[in-house]
């Protein structure tokens, strides 16, 4: 087992991860690199996954829906390298080595940036340009959906989550997990700000702005429970004016 670092060293560990995970995006061009550095540096969700110990070694088959430039794949690879080199905080879970990663992204420009930046990783990430409402989902242990379900209507949201549940069930991992970040529509001001920023970033990334559909947190939780998940919610907008919540959804019956 690799040596671990004391928990007081997590800030240094995170800075190292940030640097390692974003360097590959220099190959994808100036926009790809600056976007990766800003997203990983300012969005609390990525470090939150580690601080809350939400991704473990048992999550080796990963599906990232709405993967964008594939930043989570690069982060997973950098996490693996740090652990192999014995520089891993004791307060963070050990994570998988050599994740079988599938990223699904609707926007061809983002897929192209991902391929140019992280296509060299081993094992090679699977980057699929497809609609999350119809893309085939492989058997998996972990599904990550960050800030994208609001782009489809309420019926389509449920359809995506049904297919996610089935893919996790087929994976037959008793610790299968969905990590879903959503905006809490019951927090009107925070939700409105997050939607405005979302539209602005969408334009900056060169994409068309589409209508969005939100739900109050209670409705998201009720939907996931109806689909057979145990759910806990973690506020995930610290340091921002948003109303984002991370829903940690584990299949009922899991150990």
């Amino acid at each position: 087992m690799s040596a671990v670092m004391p928990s007081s060293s997590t800030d240094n560990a995170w800075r190292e991860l940030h640097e390692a995970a974003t360097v590959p995006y220099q190959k994808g061009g100036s926009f790809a690199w600056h976007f990766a550095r800003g997203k990983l540096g300012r969005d609390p969700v990525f470090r939150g996954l580690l601080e809350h110990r939400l991704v473990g070694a048992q999550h080796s088959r990963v599906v990232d829906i709405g993967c964008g430039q594939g930043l989570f794949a690069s982060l997973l690879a950098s996490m693996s390298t740090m652990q192999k080199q014995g520089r891993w905080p004791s307060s963070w879970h050990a994570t998988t080595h050599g994740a079988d990663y599938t990223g699904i992204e609707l926007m061809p420009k983002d897929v192209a940036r991902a391929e140019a930046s992280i296509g060299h990783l081993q094992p090679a990430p699977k980057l699929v340009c497809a609609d999350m409402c119809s893309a085939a989902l492989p058997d998996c242990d972990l599904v990550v959906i960050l800030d994208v379900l609001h782009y489809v209507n309420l019926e389509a949201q449920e359809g995506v989550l049904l297919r996610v549940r089935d893919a996790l069930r087929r994976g037959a991992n008793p610790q299968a997990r969905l990590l879903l970040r959503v905006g809490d529509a019951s927090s009107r001001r925070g939700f409105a700000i997050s939607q405005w920023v979302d539209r602005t970033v969408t334009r900056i990334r060169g994409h068309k702005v589409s209508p969005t559909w939100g739900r109050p947190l209670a409705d998201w939780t009720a939907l996931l429970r109806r689909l057979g998940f145990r759910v806990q919610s973690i506020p995930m907008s610290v340091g921002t004016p948003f109303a984002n919540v991370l829903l940690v959804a584990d299949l009922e019956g899991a150990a």
Side-chain angles (χ1 to χ4, degrees):
M1 181 179 295
S2 297
V4 294
M5 301 166 57
S7 58
S8 60
S9 298
T10 54
D11 286 345
N12 289 335
W14 179 250
R15 282 191 288 269
E16 181 179 342
L17 271 178
H18 178 275
E19 186 67 21
T22 57
V23 161
Y25 288 90
Q26 292 178 353
K27 293 185 290 188
S30 177
F31 178 88
W33 183 62
H34 286 290
F35 183 85
R37 289 188 65 81
K39 181 67 173 175
L40 195 60
R42 298 188 183 96
D43 190 330
V45 71
F46 297 103
R47 182 167 177 172
L49 297 179
L50 295 172
E51 300 288 359
H52 291 282
R53 302 162 68 93
L54 299 177
V55 179
Q58 70 274 20
H59 299 132
S60 60
R61 297 168 296 174
V62 179
V63 174
D64 186 359
I65 296 178
C67 69
Q69 298 181 170
L71 187 55
F72 189 52
S74 188
L75 184 61
L76 286 171
S78 299
M79 289 155 58
S80 175
T81 297
M82 277 187 65
Q83 289 167 77
K84 290 176 180 177
Q85 295 174 347
R87 301 192 312 280
W88 194 245
S90 57
S91 60
W92 294 353
H93 267 327
T95 58
T96 189
H97 296 304
D100 180 359
Y101 174 92
T102 300
I104 298 170
E105 172 57 47
L106 180 63
M107 304 301 181
K109 289 182 180 179
D110 284 336
V111 175
R113 291 175 186 132
E115 290 174 340
S117 303
I118 63 169
H120 67 283
L121 295 178
Q122 292 297 325
K126 303 177 187 70
L127 300 165
V128 182
C129 187
D131 189 329
M132 64 180 169
C133 294
S134 56
L137 302 182
D139 302 355
C140 52
D141 310 306
L142 177 69
V143 176
V144 179
I145 310 178
L146 302 179
D147 312 322
V148 295
L149 268 191
H150 60 276
Y151 289 125
V152 298
N153 64 36
L154 301 187
E155 181 180 0
Q157 291 172 3
E158 183 168 348
V160 171
L161 293 174
L162 273 168
R163 293 166 54 249
V164 164
R165 181 200 63 189
D166 292 345
L168 290 168
R169 281 182 174 171
R170 292 194 308 268
N173 182 342
Q175 298 182 68
R177 172 168 286 175
L178 163 66
L179 296 173
L180 171 65
R181 189 167 69 172
V182 296
D184 180 5
S186 65
S187 176
R188 294 185 180 181
R189 182 175 182 273
F191 186 73
I193 293 172
S194 66
Q195 294 299 291
W196 178 84
V197 172
D198 184 87
R199 290 191 294 270
T200 301
V201 172
T202 298
R203 292 190 184 98
I204 291 172
R205 290 167 67 187
H207 307 317
K208 181 180 177 181
V209 176
S210 302
T212 57
W213 290 264
R215 301 174 189 255
L217 176 58
D219 290 358
W220 282 113
T221 300
L223 171 58
L224 289 167
R225 287 176 175 162
R226 179 160 54 82
L227 295 179
F229 290 96
R230 300 189 316 274
V231 186
Q232 61 173 311
S233 61
I234 302 174
M236 199 54 69
S237 54
V238 62
T240 75
F242 310 140
N244 293 333
V245 178
L246 184 68
L247 297 173
V248 182
D250 297 319
L251 286 175
E252 290 284 2

